[in-house]
Amino acid sequence: MDLNIGIEDVGVAVLQELWNRVTIQAMELAGETRDVVLARDSFQEFSGSISQLIRVLQAIDARKVAAELDCRSGSRLRLILRSSRVLTQMRELAKQIAETISSFQLVNLSIALNVKTMIAHIIDNLRSVKFQSSTAIERISVEIENSINQDRKNDDNAVKLLEKIAEAVGASESTSLVQQELAILKQEKEEMEAQKKQAEALQLSQLIQLLYSTEIVTRPVDDNPNIRRHYYPIDSFLCPLSHELMTEPVAILCGHSFEKKAIQEHFERGETVCPTCKEELPSLDITPNLSLRGSIQEWKQRDMDLKFQEAIQGINSDEECTQNGALQEMRSLLGTPLYAARFSEENLIPKLVGFLKNKRLHAAAALKCLGCLARHSEDCKLQASIVEAGAIHLVVKHLYEGEVGRDAIAVLLELSSREAIAEEIGKAKNSIPLLVSMLHYWKGDVSKKAHEVLQNLSFNTHFVVKMAECGYFRPFVCRFNEGSQETRALMAAALVQMQLKETNIIDFKNDSFIHSLVEMLSSSSPAYKSACLQAIKNLMAHSAISKQLLADPMTIPLLLGLISHVMSDPYLKEEAVEVLALLVRAAEPRDFQMFQGLKELESEHSIGLLLHLISTSETQATIKILQLLVELSHKSEQARELIRLDDDAIAHLYSCLENRRPAVRRWAMELVYSISDCHLGGVPLPPTPRKEVVIHRIASILTHSPDPEERSVAAGIIGQLPKDDTTVDDLLLKSDVLKAIHEIISSVDMESNQAQAVPNSGELLLENALAALLRYTEPSKIDLQKQVGKLELYPSLIRVLSNPRSLVKQRAAIALAHLSQSTSLSFSCATVIPTADRKAAPLSQLLNLFPNFSGCCSTSEIGSLCSVHGTACSSKDTFCLVRTDAMMPLMKSLKGTDPGVQEAALMALETLLRDDRTLSQATAAIVDNQGIDSLLYVLEKGSQSAKSKALDLLEKVLIHTNHTDPSFPRIEGVLIPLLHEDAHRKKAALVLKQMKVIPEQSSYF
């Protein structure tokens, strides 16, 4: 078919008419007006314009104008299609020329009438000119456009259309010319696409498909119209200002249409002319162009339909590359409910889900498609189809995979909106652990969506339990508060098995949760009560929960009710007592004034109930009640006094010492020790003869029990026995208690230099053994002290000063102070010959003269005499700090951090300075053992009480010592800051006065 149909009919003929009717008359007009203009100087500017017009009109011809108007094209078929557009361009051009000539204002000039008539005639011709192509060409152009717009695929229609074209122009068929036309169209299409002229590219693509549909030429294999087609809107759908597809087209007064936002911005910039025709607008009103809007929407819908069909074909393709492209296209289409429904109708959901198994396919795009399908499902059928295709398991697996996890969580969020499907998600392997992990390790939108999915799963009790097991407790707490008693029991039982961390426990600090949990204690079901008690015990490993349990006014009353109820299960009673003990352990003494439950627990009624239950309960319950009372007596002074005043209860406690169960004996003694510790009355003993039996039994436990904890409590009780009871002293003298104490002290491993935060049973035993020893070292109890000397306990006692535990060192130092004080008292009644006053050298020389002389003293004995007391402390019944080498360990104790140890060591050193006859020798011994340095350390870092004792000691040392010790220069620097402390000003001033640093009349005195 020959497509050479006569281009004159379209372009040149149109321009020729314009030339004939406008150009010639315009040139004649210019010639006549030029003469008039040149005759008048006042019209020189107009003459120049006319001269330019002549040159322009002479320079142009039809072909040049045709090129400028783009009415020629390499593709003649395309030109036919564009003929109406070219004619429109020509009409616009004619109008513009008319407006230009009219703007010259020639009719206002003083020129001949015939010239004015000619000007008016030209302007009218330009404004009224009508450009028309031949009837055949116009009809064929319309049919081509209709065929393209309706996207006809009927080959016969395409052939008939081309036959009409051939008949109209008198041409014949030619395959080579069709091929040539196709080549030109393809080349021009590529050029338009490169220039981003979308409308032109679309039109060219449509013409290509029209020619292929005639089957005059064979379509290439790689030119399938259903694959990788480009869709472009026609020009009239694009806003002339923004060059984008209009969504809200509006028309202005001149008739042209624009995107509403774009034209409004144009007007806001002060423009008052149409951007297209440049016409001045009398009003800036805009009117919605509903017709154009409908056309655009219709085009968009048709465009999307074509894309959807292409994507469907791509998904059904066997090529992975094609499938990936189709997925990318489909994910934008499925955002519309219409296409989501159509996709489901095509039964492609199983295939889409199957794509998730193929690592070479784009998983993110497939997940996005699934998310859209799930989101636009108006009923559960579509989502059910997704689940039936096995999507949940595959989607959960993709939660592991970095960025793809974002799309996977979005799918789960859409699916979990329905309980039936949420049930399947919760059952999927590892789904809940993965979702919980996303809360912690992802941020922003992903974490938020994971939280929402978990919220959607929270209707199921088993799911929230699994969340809690993974460390996410908030849904657990909410579900517990809303659940029935049965649900709460199930959840409480699960809570018992969970590992609770401080970071998670905050979710349980919920008053409603605590109250709901406590309410379970009032249930009629023993199983529910048991689960509640076990859960409370697990939660109470954290102090914050214990405080909330104490604050709830129902906690302790319900526990006491459970304990006192006659018909209660013994096991439940034991659990309730244990929980009460834990609550008391977590409480502070001040809490007994704050919380009503604790006030009720320390009341006379409650204490009486617990004491009564000791004698009426089974063994295990008795042990737990004793443990509760021990905890209570540690925290409540009122409870301690109530127990001490109950003679029957005390008698029963002592009867427990005969119990064959070691735990009963031990906790009974623990309670006795607890109510006696630091009490002025000491241990409450029964009257004679029961008293002797009790003491004998306690002593027997200390000396013979194999249990270190039991022995430790027995030693503690012995240390708390009434100090002014001579019967107790006599019984202790006859017992082997001191030997047991000696054994305990001697067996301690002194090589350990690290103190433990929590003392073990051996360390507690040593502490309490030393407390018991203090009864034997009391200066007023001479007979007991003599036993200490006979056992040669001093070296072991001094070695204990190196123990890392503060209480051990403190009690050892106090014991040494007691022993040294007793020695000082005995020295005051004896004749003391200090080493410094004896003529040791002459006596030694005399003995050397008589080698066979045997007297009371030898040379070696004289050399080993005490430097402070001489021979007065040589007896085994006396104790001397110097002779036993206790000085240096005491000095080291002063450099510790515990104020109790410092004060005890100072008390021991002070006993050396009580005898005025040996003050010089005693102070010299202190100085020789680095005493000045140790005292200064206390003055710098010690407690207020220790500083006061150290100042007293330093004053005495300085009075009787020559100031030659290296530490002496430091004294002034340490004492001067103490002048500014009210508690130590006077004592520090006395020492400084003695050193002649401040005068006697100083204001410090």
Side-chain angles (χ1 to χ4, degrees):
M1 179 181 297
D2 188 357
L3 294 179
N4 190 2
I5 58 177
I7 193 65
E8 307 87 334
D9 291 338
V10 181
V12 176
V14 172
L15 293 177
Q16 191 64 50
E17 185 176 355
L18 174 64
W19 180 265
N20 292 335
R21 298 180 60 180
V22 176
T23 307
I24 295 174
Q25 295 182 46
M27 290 178 67
E28 292 176 356
L29 172 64
E32 294 185 22
T33 57
R34 180 181 57 184
D35 296 335
V36 176
V37 171
L38 292 174
R40 300 181 182 183
D41 295 339
S42 60
F43 296 104
Q44 289 181 0
E45 182 178 355
F46 177 71
S47 174
S49 299
I50 294 299
S51 298
Q52 292 175 5
L53 177 61
I54 293 173
R55 287 194 295 271
V56 169
L57 293 174
Q58 290 174 342
I60 63 174
D61 60 27
R63 296 186 179 277
K64 290 182 180 179
V65 173
E68 291 297 323
L69 294 176
D70 193 24
C71 61
R72 294 185 61 84
S73 171
S75 170
R76 287 160 292 186
L77 184 61
R78 180 186 177 209
L79 183 58
I80 294 174
L81 182 62
R82 299 185 62 206
S83 61
S84 61
R85 179 182 173 190
V86 171
L87 295 177
T88 301
Q89 287 181 304
M90 300 309 302
R91 280 193 293 269
E92 293 293 332
L93 178 61
K95 289 180 181 179
Q96 289 178 17
I97 294 175
E99 295 298 328
T100 301
I101 296 174
S102 178
S103 66
F104 290 162
Q105 300 292 320
L106 298 176
V107 294
N108 296 328
L109 298 177
S110 300
I111 56 178
L113 181 60
N114 65 323
V115 176
K116 291 183 179 181
T117 303
M118 186 181 296
I119 292 171
H121 185 62
I122 291 173
I123 293 173
D124 290 340
N125 284 341
L126 288 171
R127 288 176 174 172
S128 61
V129 64
K130 294 182 179 180
F131 300 98
Q132 294 180 347
S133 60
S134 67
T135 304
I137 295 300
E138 187 172 350
R139 185 174 62 253
I140 293 170
S141 175
V142 172
E143 288 197 31
I144 292 173
E145 186 170 355
N146 290 338
S147 178
I148 291 173
N149 289 340
Q150 295 174 15
D151 196 26
R152 293 175 180 171
K153 298 182 180 179
N154 191 316
D155 297 341
D156 294 336
N157 289 338
V159 172
K160 290 178 181 178
L161 179 59
L162 287 182
E163 288 176 352
K164 290 180 181 180
I165 295 172
E167 182 180 353
V169 299
S172 59
E173 296 183 1
S174 174
T175 302
S176 62
L177 288 176
V178 173
Q179 291 175 337
Q180 181 182 2
E181 186 71 13
L182 282 169
I184 294 172
L185 287 170
K186 290 180 180 180
Q187 180 180 353
E188 290 182 353
K189 176 175 173 288
E190 291 176 359
E191 292 173 357
M192 294 300 103
E193 288 177 347
Q195 298 172 23
K196 297 184 177 179
K197 294 182 178 180
Q198 299 178 351
E200 287 82 351
L202 173 61
Q203 191 178 70
L204 290 166
S205 178
Q206 292 169 333
L207 289 173
I208 291 170
Q209 301 308 322
L210 178 64
L211 290 178
Y212 276 134
S213 64
T214 64
E215 296 185 353
I216 294 176
V217 294
T218 305
R219 185 191 304 274
V221 177
D222 59 350
D223 196 10
N224 189 336
N226 293 320
I227 298 176
R228 295 189 297 276
R229 285 180 57 181
H230 296 276
Y231 300 90
Y232 304 102
I234 59 180
D235 284 350
S236 61
F237 293 172
L238 299 176
C239 174
L241 289 173
S242 66
H243 305 293
E244 295 179 355
L245 186 68
M246 288 184 280
T247 58
E248 193 175 0
V250 294
I252 58 178
L253 290 183
C254 67
H256 291 100
S257 294
F258 304 88
E259 178 64 32
K260 181 179 180 180
K261 181 179 179 182
I263 193 63
Q264 285 178 336
E265 291 175 352
H266 176 76
F267 290 155
E268 288 170 0
R269 290 194 294 268
E271 301 289 346
T272 58
V273 298
C274 171
T276 300
C277 67
K278 307 303 180 182
E279 179 182 336
E280 184 74 24
L281 300 172
S283 172
L284 302 182
D285 293 342
I286 58 175
T287 306
N289 193 334
L290 300 180
S291 175
L292 179 58
R293 183 175 181 178
S295 298
I296 292 173
Q297 290 176 344
E298 181 181 347
W299 177 88
K300 287 171 66 176
Q301 184 61 54
R302 184 162 52 85
D303 179 59
M304 291 177 68
D305 287 343
L306 292 172
K307 290 180 179 179
F308 181 76
Q309 290 301 323
E310 280 190 18
I312 292 292
Q313 293 176 17
I315 288 174
N316 286 320
S317 171
D318 294 330
E319 296 181 4
E320 293 174 350
C321 180
T322 303
Q323 290 173 335
N324 275 328
L327 283 172
Q328 295 286 7
E329 190 72 49
M330 185 62 76
R331 71 177 186 177
S332 61
L333 293 169
L334 292 181
T336 305
L338 172 65
Y339 293 111
R342 287 175 61 180
F343 188 90
S344 176
E345 292 169 2
E346 295 283 346
N347 197 29
L348 289 174
I349 289 178
K351 189 156 191 173
L352 182 61
V353 172
F355 284 173
L356 296 177
K357 300 177 183 178
N358 190 339
K359 294 184 178 180
R360 292 186 296 275
L361 293 179
H362 204 301
L367 287 167
K368 284 184 172 69
C369 290
L370 282 174
C372 292
L373 291 170
R375 181 165 58 254
H376 296 299
S377 175
E378 296 182 358
D379 52 33
C380 60
K381 291 182 180 179
L382 183 55
Q383 292 187 344
S385 300
I386 296 174
V387 175
E388 290 171 2
I392 290 178
H393 171 69
L394 293 170
V395 171
V396 169
K397 285 182 65 177
H398 280 85
L399 291 176
Y400 289 101
E401 300 177 10
E403 291 300 314
V404 179
R406 297 178 180 273
D407 303 306
I409 193 65
V411 175
L412 292 181
L413 178 58
E414 298 297 340
L415 292 175
S416 63
S417 60
R418 302 182 186 277
E419 278 195 10
I421 298 177
E423 191 86 23
E424 298 300 322
I425 295 174
K427 292 177 181 178
K429 184 179 179 181
N430 294 329
S431 61
I432 290 178
L434 282 171
L435 289 167
V436 172
S437 70
M438 295 181 85
L439 292 177
H440 305 300
Y441 300 112
W442 287 73
K443 295 180 180 179
D445 189 53
V446 175
S447 177
K448 181 181 177 182
K449 288 180 178 178
H451 176 265
E452 292 176 7
V453 174
L454 290 170
Q455 286 297 111
N456 290 342
L457 302 183
S458 298
F459 69 92
N460 186 298
T461 302
H462 296 285
F463 293 166
V464 297
V465 168
K466 191 175 292 186
M467 294 176 203
E469 290 171 347
C470 297
Y472 182 45
F473 293 98
R474 195 173 306 164
F476 182 96
V477 171
C478 294
R479 180 69 177 169
F480 189 93
N481 292 341
E482 299 167 356
S484 63
Q485 285 283 353
E486 182 179 0
T487 298
R488 291 177 181 177
L490 173 66
M491 298 178 73
L495 183 59
V496 175
Q497 307 300 324
M498 296 179 192
Q499 297 294 325
L500 305 179
K501 299 178 180 178
E502 287 295 338
T503 53
N504 307 126
I505 206 68
I506 189 172
D507 292 316
F508 291 104
K509 293 175 63 177
N510 179 291
D511 292 339
S512 298
F513 170 76
I514 295 297
H515 190 71
S516 299
L517 183 61
V518 170
E519 275 187 336
M520 291 178 64
L521 294 173
S522 61
S523 169
S524 58
S525 169
Y528 292 0
K529 293 178 183 177
S530 177
C532 171
L533 291 168
Q534 292 291 335
I536 289 175
K537 284 168 61 178
N538 193 25
L539 288 169
M540 287 183 62
H542 305 273
S543 58
I545 302 298
S546 300
K547 290 292 184 182
Q548 285 205 274
L549 286 165
L550 288 170
D552 192 294
M554 296 300 296
T555 306
I556 291 178
L558 286 175
L559 289 169
L560 287 173
L562 193 57
I563 294 169
S564 61
H565 197 277
V566 178
M567 301 302 293
S568 293
D569 187 319
Y571 173 76
L572 290 180
K573 285 188 177 183
E574 293 176 18
E575 292 295 312
V577 172
E578 187 174 350
V579 170
L580 274 176
L582 291 171
L583 285 170
V584 174
R585 186 180 301 168
E588 301 291 337
R590 64 176 180 273
D591 292 338
F592 284 81
Q593 304 302 318
M594 295 173 54
F595 300 128
Q596 186 61 39
L598 288 175
K599 290 181 181 179
E600 182 174 345
L601 183 58
E602 68 172 356
S603 67
E604 183 176 358
H605 174 268
S606 297
I607 297 297
L609 169 66
L610 294 172
L611 291 173
H612 173 71
L613 289 173
I614 293 175
S615 58
T616 59
S617 301
E618 297 292 333
T619 300
Q620 198 60 36
T622 298
I623 294 170
K624 291 188 180 296
I625 294 170
L626 287 168
Q627 292 172 339
L628 168 59
L629 288 169
V630 168
E631 295 291 345
L632 196 54
S633 62
H634 287 161
K635 301 294 176 67
S636 169
E637 186 65 33
Q638 178 176 322
R640 292 175 65 184
E641 288 301 320
L642 287 172
I643 297 171
R644 289 179 65 90
L645 293 173
D646 193 325
D647 294 337
D648 292 336
I650 295 297
H652 184 71
L653 287 177
Y654 286 128
S655 68
C656 291
L657 300 183
E658 306 299 333
N659 196 295
R660 291 180 296 176
R661 299 285 185 121
V664 175
R665 293 198 305 269
R666 179 202 160 185
W667 286 104
M669 288 193 299
E670 287 275 10
L671 183 54
V672 171
Y673 176 69
S674 179
I675 63 175
S676 307
D677 190 25
C678 300
H679 196 280
L680 294 176
V683 176
L685 292 172
T688 304
R690 182 61 181 164
K691 177 168 64 175
E692 287 79 355
V693 174
V694 169
I695 293 175
H696 175 75
R697 180 58 183 151
I698 294 172
S700 175
I701 291 172
L702 175 62
T703 55
H704 296 97
S705 175
D707 182 5
E709 293 181 347
E710 195 175 34
R711 294 180 71 196
S712 175
V713 182
I717 292 174
I718 292 172
Q720 297 293 332
L721 288 172
K723 300 192 183 312
D724 56 353
D725 193 327
T726 56
T727 303
V728 174
D729 293 341
D730 292 340
L731 292 170
L732 292 177
L733 276 173
K734 297 174 184 177
S735 69
D736 292 330
V737 168
L738 189 58
K739 290 182 180 180
I741 294 171
H742 186 196
E743 176 193 344
I744 293 167
I745 296 174
S746 300
S747 63
V748 173
D749 181 11
M750 300 310 301
E751 296 179 0
S752 174
N753 293 320
Q754 295 182 350
Q756 297 182 15
V758 180
N760 58 38
S761 58
E763 290 168 334
L764 287 174
L765 177 57
L766 177 60
E767 289 178 1
N768 288 338
L770 288 167
L773 178 63
L774 293 179
R775 185 178 188 87
Y776 285 83
T777 60
E778 276 286 339
S780 60
K781 300 183 184 298
I782 299 173
D783 292 336
L784 293 176
Q785 267 200 1
K786 287 181 179 180
Q787 276 199 336
V788 176
K790 290 177 181 178
L791 287 175
E792 298 182 354
L793 192 57
Y794 309 140
S796 298
L797 194 58
I798 293 168
R799 192 167 65 250
V800 168
L801 288 173
S802 301
N803 189 280
R805 295 196 60 79
S806 296
L807 190 55
V808 170
K809 289 191 286 189
Q810 180 184 352
R811 288 176 175 172
I814 293 173
L816 293 175
H818 287 171
L819 294 170
S820 181
Q821 180 181 347
S822 298
T823 301
S824 298
L825 291 173
S826 65
F827 291 164
S828 64
C829 302
T831 301
V832 178
I833 306 177
T835 304
D837 296 339
R838 290 185 286 107
K839 305 298 182 180
L843 178 59
S844 176
Q845 294 173 2
L846 288 173
L847 291 175
N848 289 332
L849 294 175
F850 305 97
N852 296 322
F853 176 78
S854 60
C856 62
C857 297
S858 65
T859 306
S860 61
E861 289 174 330
I862 293 173
S864 62
L865 293 176
C866 173
S867 63
V868 177
H869 306 109
T871 59
C873 62
S874 59
S875 171
K876 290 183 178 181
D877 295 333
T878 59
F879 172 77
C880 174
L881 294 174
V882 178
R883 188 178 181 86
T884 55
D885 296 325
M887 296 295 289
M888 191 56 73
L890 287 171
M891 298 305 175
K892 290 181 179 179
S893 298
L894 289 177
K895 291 189 175 182
T897 57
D898 187 88
V901 176
Q902 290 178 336
E903 291 185 38
L906 288 168
M907 184 172 67
L909 293 172
E910 190 271 336
T911 60
L912 283 175
L913 306 179
R914 292 188 178 181
D915 191 341
D916 293 338
R917 295 171 297 172
T918 59
L919 273 177
S920 298
Q921 293 78 14
T923 54
I926 291 174
V927 172
D928 291 343
N929 287 277
Q930 304 176 9
I932 298 296
D933 188 60
S934 299
L935 291 174
L936 292 178
Y937 180 89
V938 175
L939 291 174
E940 288 179 317
K941 300 183 180 181
S943 65
Q944 297 297 322
S945 178
K947 285 181 180 180
S948 180
K949 289 183 173 60
L951 282 169
D952 292 336
L953 200 59
L954 181 61
E955 182 184 8
K956 291 183 180 180
V957 169
L958 293 178
I959 291 174
H960 299 89
T961 307
N962 294 325
H963 299 181
T964 58
D965 188 270
S967 302
F968 275 91
R970 285 184 52 216
I971 297 176
E972 182 178 342
V974 173
L975 292 179
I976 288 178
L978 295 178
L979 294 174
H980 304 290
E981 298 182 15
D982 294 339
H984 309 301
R985 180 181 295 115
K986 188 172 182 179
K987 289 185 178 182
L990 287 172
V991 177
L992 289 170
K993 183 193 75 169
Q994 182 181 321
M995 297 174 64
K996 303 187 183 305
V997 175
I998 60 176
E1000 293 186 5
Q1001 290 77 23
S1002 172
S1003 60
Y1004 290 112
F1005 297 107

